[in-house]
Amino acid sequence: QLATEGRDSIEIVHTAEYQNFLKAYFPPFKQVLASTRAQTIDSTEHKLRNVVLEILHRLPRNEVLRPYVTDLIKLSMTVLQTDNEENALICQRILFDLHKDFRPHLESEVQPFLDFVLEIYKGFKDTV
């Protein structure tokens, strides 16, 4: 519930305190996604992971976020590959938005995403 309330009142990211918010909250968000297992059922852990991803997706993509972009890309790729469809879709949006806004900075991160998409399409025939 605390994470949901944080998501719903995230206006702080649109103030001068955005950098302090990232310093304080990005490491715990990263820890939550790295330490809790992906869920396929609607559980407390799933809700927590989902809310954290929604918060990360709502972050303004500006220069304040730049130092966190590489970690956010890697974290999103991991969740995309291991989590349920709902969370994977949020991660896709995060990845697309970050690549759109920080393109030159992320050239080295494009290939892992393309490799993932290729693997999905290779297995597409078996899932349909």
Side-chain angles (χ1 to χ4, degrees):
Q1 183 176 352
L2 183 61
T4 303
E5 289 175 14
R7 177 199 60 201
D8 294 341
S9 61
I10 196 145
E11 291 84 24
I12 192 168
V13 300
H14 299 289
T15 70
E17 292 298 311
Y18 183 32
Q19 186 170 9
N20 292 330
F21 173 86
L22 286 173
K23 284 180 185 176
Y25 286 97
F26 190 79
F29 289 162
K30 186 176 172 183
Q31 181 63 29
V32 163
L33 294 173
S35 66
T36 59
R37 296 181 53 155
Q39 305 291 311
T40 56
I41 58 170
D42 195 21
S43 65
T44 304
E45 291 84 5
H46 166 71
K47 289 176 186 173
L48 177 60
R49 290 174 67 81
N50 186 267
V51 168
V52 167
L53 289 169
E54 285 182 9
I55 290 170
L56 292 172
H57 181 246
R58 291 181 183 185
L59 294 176
R61 292 171 305 279
N62 56 29
E63 289 303 311
V64 177
L65 185 63
R66 187 176 294 278
Y68 301 90
V69 167
T70 301
D71 280 345
L72 186 52
I73 288 270
K74 290 178 182 178
L75 189 61
S76 296
M77 279 299 300
T78 299
V79 173
L80 177 66
Q81 294 170 344
T82 61
D83 220 309
N84 61 51
E85 182 179 351
E86 182 179 6
N87 289 346
L89 287 173
I90 297 170
C91 287
Q92 278 185 320
R93 284 188 233 124
I94 292 170
L95 289 164
F96 289 150
D97 290 345
L98 290 175
H99 280 290
K100 181 176 65 174
D101 294 328
F102 297 100
R103 186 176 321 191
H105 181 72
L106 296 175
E107 286 181 17
S108 64
E109 303 298 329
V110 172
Q111 194 58 50
F113 179 74
L114 294 176
D115 291 343
F116 173 74
V117 171
L118 183 63
E119 285 300 312
I120 295 295
Y121 279 107
K122 282 182 181 177
F124 189 70
K125 183 177 178 181
D126 298 333
T127 58
V128 177

mmCIF file with all atom_site columns, all heavy atoms in Angstrom, residues 27-49:
data_model
loop_
_atom_site.group_PDB
_atom_site.id
_atom_site.type_symbol
_atom_site.label_atom_id
_atom_site.label_alt_id
_atom_site.label_comp_id
_atom_site.label_asym_id
_atom_site.label_entity_id
_atom_site.label_seq_id
_atom_site.pdbx_PDB_ins_code
_atom_site.Cartn_x
_atom_site.Cartn_y
_atom_site.Cartn_z
_atom_site.occupancy
_atom_site.B_iso_or_equiv
_atom_site.pdbx_formal_charge
_atom_site.auth_seq_id
_atom_site.auth_comp_id
_atom_site.auth_asym_id
_atom_site.auth_atom_id
_atom_site.pdbx_PDB_model_num
ATOM 1   N N   . PRO A 1 27 ? 17.927 3.113   -5.645  1.00 0.00 ? 27 PRO A N   1
ATOM 2   C CA  . PRO A 1 27 ? 18.531 1.872   -5.121  1.00 0.00 ? 27 PRO A CA  1
ATOM 3   C C   . PRO A 1 27 ? 17.508 0.906   -4.498  1.00 0.00 ? 27 PRO A C   1
ATOM 4   O O   . PRO A 1 27 ? 17.553 -0.295  -4.795  1.00 0.00 ? 27 PRO A O   1
ATOM 5   C CB  . PRO A 1 27 ? 19.560 2.372   -4.102  1.00 0.00 ? 27 PRO A CB  1
ATOM 6   C CG  . PRO A 1 27 ? 19.938 3.732   -4.608  1.00 0.00 ? 27 PRO A CG  1
ATOM 7   C CD  . PRO A 1 27 ? 18.646 4.303   -5.150  1.00 0.00 ? 27 PRO A CD  1
ATOM 8   N N   . PRO A 1 28 ? 16.557 1.371   -3.668  1.00 0.00 ? 28 PRO A N   1
ATOM 9   C CA  . PRO A 1 28 ? 15.559 0.418   -3.157  1.00 0.00 ? 28 PRO A CA  1
ATOM 10  C C   . PRO A 1 28 ? 14.653 -0.152  -4.247  1.00 0.00 ? 28 PRO A C   1
ATOM 11  O O   . PRO A 1 28 ? 14.289 -1.330  -4.197  1.00 0.00 ? 28 PRO A O   1
ATOM 12  C CB  . PRO A 1 28 ? 14.743 1.236   -2.152  1.00 0.00 ? 28 PRO A CB  1
ATOM 13  C CG  . PRO A 1 28 ? 15.564 2.416   -1.818  1.00 0.00 ? 28 PRO A CG  1
ATOM 14  C CD  . PRO A 1 28 ? 16.459 2.662   -2.994  1.00 0.00 ? 28 PRO A CD  1
ATOM 15  N N   . PHE A 1 29 ? 14.286 0.666   -5.239  1.00 0.00 ? 29 PHE A N   1
ATOM 16  C CA  . PHE A 1 29 ? 13.481 0.146   -6.348  1.00 0.00 ? 29 PHE A CA  1
ATOM 17  C C   . PHE A 1 29 ? 14.243 -0.956  -7.072  1.00 0.00 ? 29 PHE A C   1
ATOM 18  O O   . PHE A 1 29 ? 13.686 -2.010  -7.400  1.00 0.00 ? 29 PHE A O   1
ATOM 19  C CB  . PHE A 1 29 ? 13.127 1.257   -7.341  1.00 0.00 ? 29 PHE A CB  1
ATOM 20  C CG  . PHE A 1 29 ? 12.131 2.263   -6.834  1.00 0.00 ? 29 PHE A CG  1
ATOM 21  C CD1 . PHE A 1 29 ? 12.005 3.490   -7.456  1.00 0.00 ? 29 PHE A CD1 1
ATOM 22  C CD2 . PHE A 1 29 ? 11.317 1.996   -5.751  1.00 0.00 ? 29 PHE A CD2 1
ATOM 23  C CE1 . PHE A 1 29 ? 11.083 4.424   -7.019  1.00 0.00 ? 29 PHE A CE1 1
ATOM 24  C CE2 . PHE A 1 29 ? 10.387 2.924   -5.294  1.00 0.00 ? 29 PHE A CE2 1
ATOM 25  C CZ  . PHE A 1 29 ? 10.273 4.146   -5.934  1.00 0.00 ? 29 PHE A CZ  1
ATOM 26  N N   . LYS A 1 30 ? 15.510 -0.706  -7.323  1.00 0.00 ? 30 LYS A N   1
ATOM 27  C CA  . LYS A 1 30 ? 16.356 -1.689  -7.986  1.00 0.00 ? 30 LYS A CA  1
ATOM 28  C C   . LYS A 1 30 ? 16.435 -2.972  -7.146  1.00 0.00 ? 30 LYS A C   1
ATOM 29  O O   . LYS A 1 30 ? 16.340 -4.076  -7.683  1.00 0.00 ? 30 LYS A O   1
ATOM 30  C CB  . LYS A 1 30 ? 17.749 -1.083  -8.201  1.00 0.00 ? 30 LYS A CB  1
ATOM 31  C CG  . LYS A 1 30 ? 18.679 -1.909  -9.000  1.00 0.00 ? 30 LYS A CG  1
ATOM 32  C CD  . LYS A 1 30 ? 19.984 -1.149  -9.214  1.00 0.00 ? 30 LYS A CD  1
ATOM 33  C CE  . LYS A 1 30 ? 21.028 -2.018  -9.849  1.00 0.00 ? 30 LYS A CE  1
ATOM 34  N NZ  . LYS A 1 30 ? 22.305 -1.330  -10.004 1.00 0.00 ? 30 LYS A NZ  1
ATOM 35  N N   . GLN A 1 31 ? 16.585 -2.805  -5.848  1.00 0.00 ? 31 GLN A N   1
ATOM 36  C CA  . GLN A 1 31 ? 16.666 -3.944  -4.947  1.00 0.00 ? 31 GLN A CA  1
ATOM 37  C C   . GLN A 1 31 ? 15.374 -4.757  -4.940  1.00 0.00 ? 31 GLN A C   1
ATOM 38  O O   . GLN A 1 31 ? 15.400 -5.983  -4.946  1.00 0.00 ? 31 GLN A O   1
ATOM 39  C CB  . GLN A 1 31 ? 17.009 -3.471  -3.530  1.00 0.00 ? 31 GLN A CB  1
ATOM 40  C CG  . GLN A 1 31 ? 17.148 -4.575  -2.515  1.00 0.00 ? 31 GLN A CG  1
ATOM 41  C CD  . GLN A 1 31 ? 18.290 -5.517  -2.824  1.00 0.00 ? 31 GLN A CD  1
ATOM 42  O OE1 . GLN A 1 31 ? 19.276 -5.145  -3.424  1.00 0.00 ? 31 GLN A OE1 1
ATOM 43  N NE2 . GLN A 1 31 ? 18.149 -6.760  -2.420  1.00 0.00 ? 31 GLN A NE2 1
ATOM 44  N N   . VAL A 1 32 ? 14.245 -4.077  -4.922  1.00 0.00 ? 32 VAL A N   1
ATOM 45  C CA  . VAL A 1 32 ? 12.953 -4.777  -4.938  1.00 0.00 ? 32 VAL A CA  1
ATOM 46  C C   . VAL A 1 32 ? 12.841 -5.636  -6.188  1.00 0.00 ? 32 VAL A C   1
ATOM 47  O O   . VAL A 1 32 ? 12.473 -6.811  -6.124  1.00 0.00 ? 32 VAL A O   1
ATOM 48  C CB  . VAL A 1 32 ? 11.772 -3.776  -4.868  1.00 0.00 ? 32 VAL A CB  1
ATOM 49  C CG1 . VAL A 1 32 ? 10.466 -4.426  -5.287  1.00 0.00 ? 32 VAL A CG1 1
ATOM 50  C CG2 . VAL A 1 32 ? 11.659 -3.195  -3.473  1.00 0.00 ? 32 VAL A CG2 1
ATOM 51  N N   . LEU A 1 33 ? 13.185 -5.076  -7.326  1.00 0.00 ? 33 LEU A N   1
ATOM 52  C CA  . LEU A 1 33 ? 13.055 -5.829  -8.576  1.00 0.00 ? 33 LEU A CA  1
ATOM 53  C C   . LEU A 1 33 ? 14.090 -6.942  -8.688  1.00 0.00 ? 33 LEU A C   1
ATOM 54  O O   . LEU A 1 33 ? 13.836 -7.978  -9.293  1.00 0.00 ? 33 LEU A O   1
ATOM 55  C CB  . LEU A 1 33 ? 13.142 -4.884  -9.772  1.00 0.00 ? 33 LEU A CB  1
ATOM 56  C CG  . LEU A 1 33 ? 11.972 -3.896  -9.866  1.00 0.00 ? 33 LEU A CG  1
ATOM 57  C CD1 . LEU A 1 33 ? 12.214 -2.892  -10.971 1.00 0.00 ? 33 LEU A CD1 1
ATOM 58  C CD2 . LEU A 1 33 ? 10.659 -4.628  -10.085 1.00 0.00 ? 33 LEU A CD2 1
ATOM 59  N N   . ALA A 1 34 ? 15.252 -6.742  -8.085  1.00 0.00 ? 34 ALA A N   1
ATOM 60  C CA  . ALA A 1 34 ? 16.301 -7.767  -8.152  1.00 0.00 ? 34 ALA A CA  1
ATOM 61  C C   . ALA A 1 34 ? 16.083 -8.873  -7.123  1.00 0.00 ? 34 ALA A C   1
ATOM 62  O O   . ALA A 1 34 ? 16.466 -10.018 -7.367  1.00 0.00 ? 34 ALA A O   1
ATOM 63  C CB  . ALA A 1 34 ? 17.668 -7.120  -7.938  1.00 0.00 ? 34 ALA A CB  1
ATOM 64  N N   . SER A 1 35 ? 15.455 -8.550  -6.001  1.00 0.00 ? 35 SER A N   1
ATOM 65  C CA  . SER A 1 35 ? 15.381 -9.530  -4.917  1.00 0.00 ? 35 SER A CA  1
ATOM 66  C C   . SER A 1 35 ? 14.045 -10.268 -4.823  1.00 0.00 ? 35 SER A C   1
ATOM 67  O O   . SER A 1 35 ? 13.984 -11.336 -4.224  1.00 0.00 ? 35 SER A O   1
ATOM 68  C CB  . SER A 1 35 ? 15.682 -8.853  -3.575  1.00 0.00 ? 35 SER A CB  1
ATOM 69  O OG  . SER A 1 35 ? 14.669 -7.931  -3.259  1.00 0.00 ? 35 SER A OG  1
ATOM 70  N N   . THR A 1 36 ? 12.985 -9.712  -5.388  1.00 0.00 ? 36 THR A N   1
ATOM 71  C CA  . THR A 1 36 ? 11.705 -10.422 -5.357  1.00 0.00 ? 36 THR A CA  1
ATOM 72  C C   . THR A 1 36 ? 11.545 -11.196 -6.650  1.00 0.00 ? 36 THR A C   1
ATOM 73  O O   . THR A 1 36 ? 11.906 -10.719 -7.714  1.00 0.00 ? 36 THR A O   1
ATOM 74  C CB  . THR A 1 36 ? 10.511 -9.461  -5.174  1.00 0.00 ? 36 THR A CB  1
ATOM 75  O OG1 . THR A 1 36 ? 10.500 -8.520  -6.241  1.00 0.00 ? 36 THR A OG1 1
ATOM 76  C CG2 . THR A 1 36 ? 10.574 -8.749  -3.851  1.00 0.00 ? 36 THR A CG2 1
ATOM 77  N N   . ARG A 1 37 ? 11.031 -12.377 -6.537  1.00 0.00 ? 37 ARG A N   1
ATOM 78  C CA  . ARG A 1 37 ? 10.865 -13.230 -7.718  1.00 0.00 ? 37 ARG A CA  1
ATOM 79  C C   . ARG A 1 37 ? 9.687  -12.781 -8.564  1.00 0.00 ? 37 ARG A C   1
ATOM 80  O O   . ARG A 1 37 ? 8.700  -12.259 -8.051  1.00 0.00 ? 37 ARG A O   1
ATOM 81  C CB  . ARG A 1 37 ? 10.661 -14.669 -7.272  1.00 0.00 ? 37 ARG A CB  1
ATOM 82  C CG  . ARG A 1 37 ? 11.877 -15.226 -6.562  1.00 0.00 ? 37 ARG A CG  1
ATOM 83  C CD  . ARG A 1 37 ? 11.657 -16.636 -6.171  1.00 0.00 ? 37 ARG A CD  1
ATOM 84  N NE  . ARG A 1 37 ? 11.234 -17.370 -7.353  1.00 0.00 ? 37 ARG A NE  1
ATOM 85  C CZ  . ARG A 1 37 ? 11.405 -18.664 -7.519  1.00 0.00 ? 37 ARG A CZ  1
ATOM 86  N NH1 . ARG A 1 37 ? 11.970 -19.355 -6.589  1.00 0.00 ? 37 ARG A NH1 1
ATOM 87  N NH2 . ARG A 1 37 ? 10.984 -19.267 -8.614  1.00 0.00 ? 37 ARG A NH2 1
ATOM 88  N N   . ALA A 1 38 ? 9.811  -12.994 -9.842  1.00 0.00 ? 38 ALA A N   1
ATOM 89  C CA  . ALA A 1 38 ? 8.708  -12.697 -10.760 1.00 0.00 ? 38 ALA A CA  1
ATOM 90  C C   . ALA A 1 38 ? 7.509  -13.555 -10.375 1.00 0.00 ? 38 ALA A C   1
ATOM 91  O O   . ALA A 1 38 ? 7.664  -14.717 -9.996  1.00 0.00 ? 38 ALA A O   1
ATOM 92  C CB  . ALA A 1 38 ? 9.134  -12.986 -12.187 1.00 0.00 ? 38 ALA A CB  1
ATOM 93  N N   . GLN A 1 39 ? 6.334  -12.988 -10.461 1.00 0.00 ? 39 GLN A N   1
ATOM 94  C CA  . GLN A 1 39 ? 5.106  -13.661 -10.053 1.00 0.00 ? 39 GLN A CA  1
ATOM 95  C C   . GLN A 1 39 ? 4.195  -13.874 -11.245 1.00 0.00 ? 39 GLN A C   1
ATOM 96  O O   . GLN A 1 39 ? 4.090  -13.017 -12.108 1.00 0.00 ? 39 GLN A O   1
ATOM 97  C CB  . GLN A 1 39 ? 4.374  -12.817 -9.010  1.00 0.00 ? 39 GLN A CB  1
ATOM 98  C CG  . GLN A 1 39 ? 5.199  -12.463 -7.802  1.00 0.00 ? 39 GLN A CG  1
ATOM 99  C CD  . GLN A 1 39 ? 5.500  -13.655 -6.931  1.00 0.00 ? 39 GLN A CD  1
ATOM 100 O OE1 . GLN A 1 39 ? 4.595  -14.420 -6.601  1.00 0.00 ? 39 GLN A OE1 1
ATOM 101 N NE2 . GLN A 1 39 ? 6.759  -13.833 -6.565  1.00 0.00 ? 39 GLN A NE2 1
ATOM 102 N N   . THR A 1 40 ? 3.535  -15.011 -11.273 1.00 0.00 ? 40 THR A N   1
ATOM 103 C CA  . THR A 1 40 ? 2.549  -15.257 -12.321 1.00 0.00 ? 40 THR A CA  1
ATOM 104 C C   . THR A 1 40 ? 1.129  -15.174 -11.777 1.00 0.00 ? 40 THR A C   1
ATOM 105 O O   . THR A 1 40 ? 0.173  -15.294 -12.524 1.00 0.00 ? 40 THR A O   1
ATOM 106 C CB  . THR A 1 40 ? 2.767  -16.647 -12.954 1.00 0.00 ? 40 THR A CB  1
ATOM 107 O OG1 . THR A 1 40 ? 2.720  -17.636 -11.914 1.00 0.00 ? 40 THR A OG1 1
ATOM 108 C CG2 . THR A 1 40 ? 4.099  -16.718 -13.675 1.00 0.00 ? 40 THR A CG2 1
ATOM 109 N N   . ILE A 1 41 ? 1.002  -14.992 -10.473 1.00 0.00 ? 41 ILE A N   1
ATOM 110 C CA  . ILE A 1 41 ? -0.312 -14.849 -9.851  1.00 0.00 ? 41 ILE A CA  1
ATOM 111 C C   . ILE A 1 41 ? -0.409 -13.473 -9.212  1.00 0.00 ? 41 ILE A C   1
ATOM 112 O O   . ILE A 1 41 ? 0.600  -12.822 -8.961  1.00 0.00 ? 41 ILE A O   1
ATOM 113 C CB  . ILE A 1 41 ? -0.561 -15.952 -8.799  1.00 0.00 ? 41 ILE A CB  1
ATOM 114 C CG1 . ILE A 1 41 ? 0.529  -15.910 -7.720  1.00 0.00 ? 41 ILE A CG1 1
ATOM 115 C CG2 . ILE A 1 41 ? -0.639 -17.315 -9.447  1.00 0.00 ? 41 ILE A CG2 1
ATOM 116 C CD1 . ILE A 1 41 ? 0.239  -16.800 -6.533  1.00 0.00 ? 41 ILE A CD1 1
ATOM 117 N N   . ASP A 1 42 ? -1.613 -13.048 -8.950  1.00 0.00 ? 42 ASP A N   1
ATOM 118 C CA  . ASP A 1 42 ? -1.829 -11.743 -8.324  1.00 0.00 ? 42 ASP A CA  1
ATOM 119 C C   . ASP A 1 42 ? -1.534 -11.865 -6.835  1.00 0.00 ? 42 ASP A C   1
ATOM 120 O O   . ASP A 1 42 ? -2.373 -12.318 -6.060  1.00 0.00 ? 42 ASP A O   1
ATOM 121 C CB  . ASP A 1 42 ? -3.267 -11.290 -8.568  1.00 0.00 ? 42 ASP A CB  1
ATOM 122 C CG  . ASP A 1 42 ? -3.460 -9.831  -8.265  1.00 0.00 ? 42 ASP A CG  1
ATOM 123 O OD1 . ASP A 1 42 ? -2.458 -9.088  -8.263  1.00 0.00 ? 42 ASP A OD1 1
ATOM 124 O OD2 . ASP A 1 42 ? -4.613 -9.433  -8.028  1.00 0.00 ? 42 ASP A OD2 1
ATOM 125 N N   . SER A 1 43 ? -0.337 -11.486 -6.458  1.00 0.00 ? 43 SER A N   1
ATOM 126 C CA  . SER A 1 43 ? 0.107  -11.590 -5.072  1.00 0.00 ? 43 SER A CA  1
ATOM 127 C C   . SER A 1 43 ? 0.645  -10.240 -4.614  1.00 0.00 ? 43 SER A C   1
ATOM 128 O O   . SER A 1 43 ? 0.781  -9.305  -5.398  1.00 0.00 ? 43 SER A O   1
ATOM 129 C CB  . SER A 1 43 ? 1.203  -12.647 -4.961  1.00 0.00 ? 43 SER A CB  1
ATOM 130 O OG  . SER A 1 43 ? 2.345  -12.223 -5.677  1.00 0.00 ? 43 SER A OG  1
ATOM 131 N N   . THR A 1 44 ? 0.995  -10.153 -3.356  1.00 0.00 ? 44 THR A N   1
ATOM 132 C CA  . THR A 1 44 ? 1.569  -8.923  -2.813  1.00 0.00 ? 44 THR A CA  1
ATOM 133 C C   . THR A 1 44 ? 2.872  -8.587  -3.527  1.00 0.00 ? 44 THR A C   1
ATOM 134 O O   . THR A 1 44 ? 3.127  -7.428  -3.852  1.00 0.00 ? 44 THR A O   1
ATOM 135 C CB  . THR A 1 44 ? 1.814  -9.081  -1.298  1.00 0.00 ? 44 THR A CB  1
ATOM 136 O OG1 . THR A 1 44 ? 0.584  -9.454  -0.677  1.00 0.00 ? 44 THR A OG1 1
ATOM 137 C CG2 . THR A 1 44 ? 2.325  -7.797  -0.690  1.00 0.00 ? 44 THR A CG2 1
ATOM 138 N N   . GLU A 1 45 ? 3.691  -9.613  -3.774  1.00 0.00 ? 45 GLU A N   1
ATOM 139 C CA  . GLU A 1 45 ? 4.963  -9.392  -4.463  1.00 0.00 ? 45 GLU A CA  1
ATOM 140 C C   . GLU A 1 45 ? 4.744  -8.877  -5.877  1.00 0.00 ? 45 GLU A C   1
ATOM 141 O O   . GLU A 1 45 ? 5.453  -7.983  -6.340  1.00 0.00 ? 45 GLU A O   1
ATOM 142 C CB  . GLU A 1 45 ? 5.803  -10.681 -4.500  1.00 0.00 ? 45 GLU A CB  1
ATOM 143 C CG  . GLU A 1 45 ? 6.335  -11.106 -3.159  1.00 0.00 ? 45 GLU A CG  1
ATOM 144 C CD  . GLU A 1 45 ? 5.324  -11.916 -2.339  1.00 0.00 ? 45 GLU A CD  1
ATOM 145 O OE1 . GLU A 1 45 ? 4.227  -12.243 -2.857  1.00 0.00 ? 45 GLU A OE1 1
ATOM 146 O OE2 . GLU A 1 45 ? 5.630  -12.199 -1.171  1.00 0.00 ? 45 GLU A OE2 1
ATOM 147 N N   . HIS A 1 46 ? 3.751  -9.446  -6.562  1.00 0.00 ? 46 HIS A N   1
ATOM 148 C CA  . HIS A 1 46 ? 3.445  -8.978  -7.919  1.00 0.00 ? 46 HIS A CA  1
ATOM 149 C C   . HIS A 1 46 ? 3.019  -7.518  -7.896  1.00 0.00 ? 46 HIS A C   1
ATOM 150 O O   . HIS A 1 46 ? 3.470  -6.711  -8.712  1.00 0.00 ? 46 HIS A O   1
ATOM 151 C CB  . HIS A 1 46 ? 2.351  -9.833  -8.558  1.00 0.00 ? 46 HIS A CB  1
ATOM 152 C CG  . HIS A 1 46 ? 1.781  -9.207  -9.791  1.00 0.00 ? 46 HIS A CG  1
ATOM 153 N ND1 . HIS A 1 46 ? 2.486  -9.105  -10.967 1.00 0.00 ? 46 HIS A ND1 1
ATOM 154 C CD2 . HIS A 1 46 ? 0.587  -8.594  -10.021 1.00 0.00 ? 46 HIS A CD2 1
ATOM 155 C CE1 . HIS A 1 46 ? 1.748  -8.477  -11.873 1.00 0.00 ? 46 HIS A CE1 1
ATOM 156 N NE2 . HIS A 1 46 ? 0.595  -8.167  -11.320 1.00 0.00 ? 46 HIS A NE2 1
ATOM 157 N N   . LYS A 1 47 ? 2.151  -7.170  -6.963  1.00 0.00 ? 47 LYS A N   1
ATOM 158 C CA  . LYS A 1 47 ? 1.669  -5.788  -6.875  1.00 0.00 ? 47 LYS A CA  1
ATOM 159 C C   . LYS A 1 47 ? 2.824  -4.832  -6.589  1.00 0.00 ? 47 LYS A C   1
ATOM 160 O O   . LYS A 1 47 ? 2.894  -3.750  -7.170  1.00 0.00 ? 47 LYS A O   1
ATOM 161 C CB  . LYS A 1 47 ? 0.594  -5.670  -5.809  1.00 0.00 ? 47 LYS A CB  1
ATOM 162 C CG  . LYS A 1 47 ? -0.703 -6.330  -6.205  1.00 0.00 ? 47 LYS A CG  1
ATOM 163 C CD  . LYS A 1 47 ? -1.724 -6.272  -5.090  1.00 0.00 ? 47 LYS A CD  1
ATOM 164 C CE  . LYS A 1 47 ? -2.959 -7.077  -5.475  1.00 0.00 ? 47 LYS A CE  1
ATOM 165 N NZ  . LYS A 1 47 ? -3.907 -7.191  -4.384  1.00 0.00 ? 47 LYS A NZ  1
ATOM 166 N N   . LEU A 1 48 ? 3.736  -5.235  -5.696  1.00 0.00 ? 48 LEU A N   1
ATOM 167 C CA  . LEU A 1 48 ? 4.882  -4.390  -5.376  1.00 0.00 ? 48 LEU A CA  1
ATOM 168 C C   . LEU A 1 48 ? 5.766  -4.197  -6.606  1.00 0.00 ? 48 LEU A C   1
ATOM 169 O O   . LEU A 1 48 ? 6.156  -3.077  -6.927  1.00 0.00 ? 48 LEU A O   1
ATOM 170 C CB  . LEU A 1 48 ? 5.689  -5.002  -4.229  1.00 0.00 ? 48 LEU A CB  1
ATOM 171 C CG  . LEU A 1 48 ? 6.958  -4.245  -3.834  1.00 0.00 ? 48 LEU A CG  1
ATOM 172 C CD1 . LEU A 1 48 ? 6.620  -2.829  -3.375  1.00 0.00 ? 48 LEU A CD1 1
ATOM 173 C CD2 . LEU A 1 48 ? 7.699  -5.011  -2.747  1.00 0.00 ? 48 LEU A CD2 1
ATOM 174 N N   . ARG A 1 49 ? 6.089  -5.282  -7.300  1.00 0.00 ? 49 ARG A N   1
ATOM 175 C CA  . ARG A 1 49 ? 6.919  -5.184  -8.509  1.00 0.00 ? 49 ARG A CA  1
ATOM 176 C C   . ARG A 1 49 ? 6.231  -4.285  -9.543  1.00 0.00 ? 49 ARG A C   1
ATOM 177 O O   . ARG A 1 49 ? 6.869  -3.447  -10.169 1.00 0.00 ? 49 ARG A O   1
ATOM 178 C CB  . ARG A 1 49 ? 7.182  -6.575  -9.100  1.00 0.00 ? 49 ARG A CB  1
ATOM 179 C CG  . ARG A 1 49 ? 8.095  -7.437  -8.262  1.00 0.00 ? 49 ARG A CG  1
ATOM 180 C CD  . ARG A 1 49 ? 8.202  -8.852  -8.818  1.00 0.00 ? 49 ARG A CD  1
ATOM 181 N NE  . ARG A 1 49 ? 8.877  -8.890  -10.102 1.00 0.00 ? 49 ARG A NE  1
ATOM 182 C CZ  . ARG A 1 49 ? 10.193 -8.866  -10.250 1.00 0.00 ? 49 ARG A CZ  1
ATOM 183 N NH1 . ARG A 1 49 ? 10.980 -8.789  -9.208  1.00 0.00 ? 49 ARG A NH1 1
ATOM 184 N NH2 . ARG A 1 49 ? 10.722 -8.922  -11.462 1.00 0.00 ? 49 ARG A NH2 1
#
